Amino acid sequence: MSKQGEIEYPDRIGEAGRVHLRGKPFTDPSCSTMLIAMGAVIGALPRPPADVLDCGVGGGWTSRFLVRAGYRVVGIDISPKMIALAEEDRLADGLQNLSFQVAEYETLAFKEQFDAVLFFDSLHHAADERAAISAAARALRPGGLLITHEPGEGHAASEVGKKAMEQWDVTEKDMPPHLIISLGELAGLRLNRLLPYPGIVERVAFPRNPIHRDARQLASRVVEILAFMKSMLVGEKRGTSIVVMEKK
C-alpha cells in the first residue's frame, strides 16, 4: 500500500471516524484493554520527567496521556491533517511540554535527543520497519528505551487487517516481537524485557463474565492462564506483546 492512504486517512474516515479518533481510548470498544496497555507502557518508561518521542500518533491520545503523566513529548505522524487535529486538541486541553510534528518515522532526523521512543499500534503501518527502528535507535540517548505495542503474527491476514487495507488503503503488517527484536539488534539495541499482551492480562485478571463450572468454559480459562504464564515467564515472541529494548 502507498503512504497516501495514511496521509489521507483523516479525510477517508469521515466525521464519525474523526470523532472516534479524537476521543480514544474512551470512544473505542477496546477501551479497557487500551488503558491497561498504556499503564504497562508508562510503567516501562523511565520515570518522569523524561523526553519521549511518540511515533505515528494519529489523533495524539497516547501523547496526551504521557504528558499528563509528567513526560515531555514530541508526537509525530505522516499525515498533516492528523497533526492538525492533535494540535487542536492539545491547545483545547492547555497541555504544555507537548509538541506535534509532521514527519515520517522511517526518516527521522533526531539524534540522541530522547530517553524513550514509543510505537503504539503504529509500526505495523510502516513501509520500511527496519528503517523506522533504525531511526528510532538514532533518536535515543545511550541507555534509552524503545517500546513497541504492536500486533503479532496473523494480523495482516485477519478480517480487521484486510478490511483496513481494502477500505482505507493503509499498510497493515504482522509485527511480531521476534521481528522487532531482530531489527532492534541490528540497530544497536538489546532486549530489555517482554511484557504480556494487555488483552490476555485483562481476560485472565479481570474477566468480564463470571466463571461457571461448565467444562468448556473452564478449559478455555485454563488455556488462557497457561498462555499468560508462558508470556510472563519466557515472553511471547510470535503473538502480540509489548517489547522493550535498550540502547547500548
Side-chain angles (χ1 to χ4, degrees):
M1 299 294 173
S2 71
K3 292 186 177 182
Q4 198 60 33
E6 310 283 351
I7 293 170
E8 296 176 359
Y9 184 74
D11 290 328
R12 296 183 181 190
I13 61 177
E15 181 59 27
R18 289 190 291 274
V19 169
H20 168 259
L21 185 75
R22 300 175 80 168
K24 288 173 73 173
F26 305 107
T27 52
D28 197 276
S30 300
C31 174
S32 56
T33 307
M34 295 166 80
L35 289 170
I36 292 171
M38 276 307 293
V41 166
I42 290 172
L45 284 168
R47 290 190 179 276
D51 297 304
V52 180
L53 177 62
D54 193 3
C55 294
V57 297
W61 75 268
T62 51
S63 298
R64 293 194 296 274
F65 259 63
L66 293 175
V67 166
R68 288 189 171 103
Y71 294 96
R72 298 181 293 264
V73 181
V74 175
I76 64 163
D77 199 275
I78 193 175
S79 171
K81 291 189 176 180
M82 281 287 204
I83 291 299
L85 293 175
E87 177 64 10
E88 186 177 313
D89 289 341
R90 182 194 73 81
L91 291 172
D93 291 346
L95 295 175
Q96 305 297 318
N97 294 326
L98 173 60
S99 64
F100 291 108
Q101 299 179 18
V102 178
E104 297 184 36
Y105 43 57
E106 293 98 337
T107 57
L108 295 172
F110 301 111
K111 185 175 181 181
E112 296 190 356
Q113 293 175 241
F114 295 94
D115 302 300
V117 176
L118 172 65
F119 290 94
F120 192 101
D121 288 344
S122 58
L123 185 60
H124 68 283
H125 297 306
D128 185 344
E129 57 271 26
R130 180 174 181 176
I133 289 177
S134 294
R138 289 193 300 271
L140 285 170
R141 297 176 178 129
L145 300 177
L146 169 68
I147 301 177
T148 67
H149 174 281
E150 297 294 330
E153 294 180 354
H155 170 72
S158 69
E159 288 304 312
V160 171
K162 290 190 291 186
K163 182 179 179 181
M165 288 187 280
E166 293 169 2
Q167 190 169 7
W168 313 121
D169 189 32
V170 295
T171 299
E172 298 285 343
K173 294 182 177 181
D174 294 357
M175 203 57 59
H178 68 82
L179 175 59
I180 295 169
I181 293 167
S182 64
L183 295 177
E185 289 173 344
L186 290 173
L189 307 177
R190 61 188 170 202
L191 181 62
N192 179 285
R193 71 195 107 154
L194 282 172
L195 300 176
Y197 171 50
I200 197 169
V201 173
E202 181 177 28
R203 292 194 298 272
V204 169
F206 313 110
R208 288 184 176 272
N209 300 311
I211 302 300
H212 300 294
R213 295 188 178 275
D214 177 85
R216 186 173 298 177
Q217 283 186 331
L218 288 173
S220 176
R221 176 78 166 162
V222 168
V223 168
E224 287 194 329
I225 291 173
L226 291 174
F228 173 72
M229 291 176 64
K230 176 189 173 185
S231 68
M232 288 295 294
L233 294 172
V234 299
E236 173 56 64
K237 292 191 176 181
R238 304 185 74 85
T240 302
S241 69
I242 297 175
V243 180
V244 184
M245 301 198 74
E246 182 179 355
K247 186 168 185 177
K248 300 176 184 177

